Amino acid sequence: MKITINEDKCVGAGQCVLAAAEVFDQRDEDGVVVLLDSAPPQELLADVEDAAARCPALAIEVEK
């Protein structure tokens, strides 16, 4: 699995962090998503896909 994020699209909603805190975080100053692991283990796939689906700005792309 490979994850890419588009910081320009991110609106700082934080839904990704709620869904997959092992993979996503947010910058303190503006809430923009921070990718902690661009290639997390396969067992986190469901959480990462949930995070991408929850993103209101569609700023997360997941390649399996």
Side-chain angles (χ1 to χ4, degrees), residues 11-31:
V11 296
Q15 295 302 304
C16 56
V17 179
L18 293 174
E22 306 90 342
V23 180
F24 303 101
D25 200 356
Q26 291 177 278
R27 293 192 304 225
D28 290 334
E29 61 272 8
D30 58 8

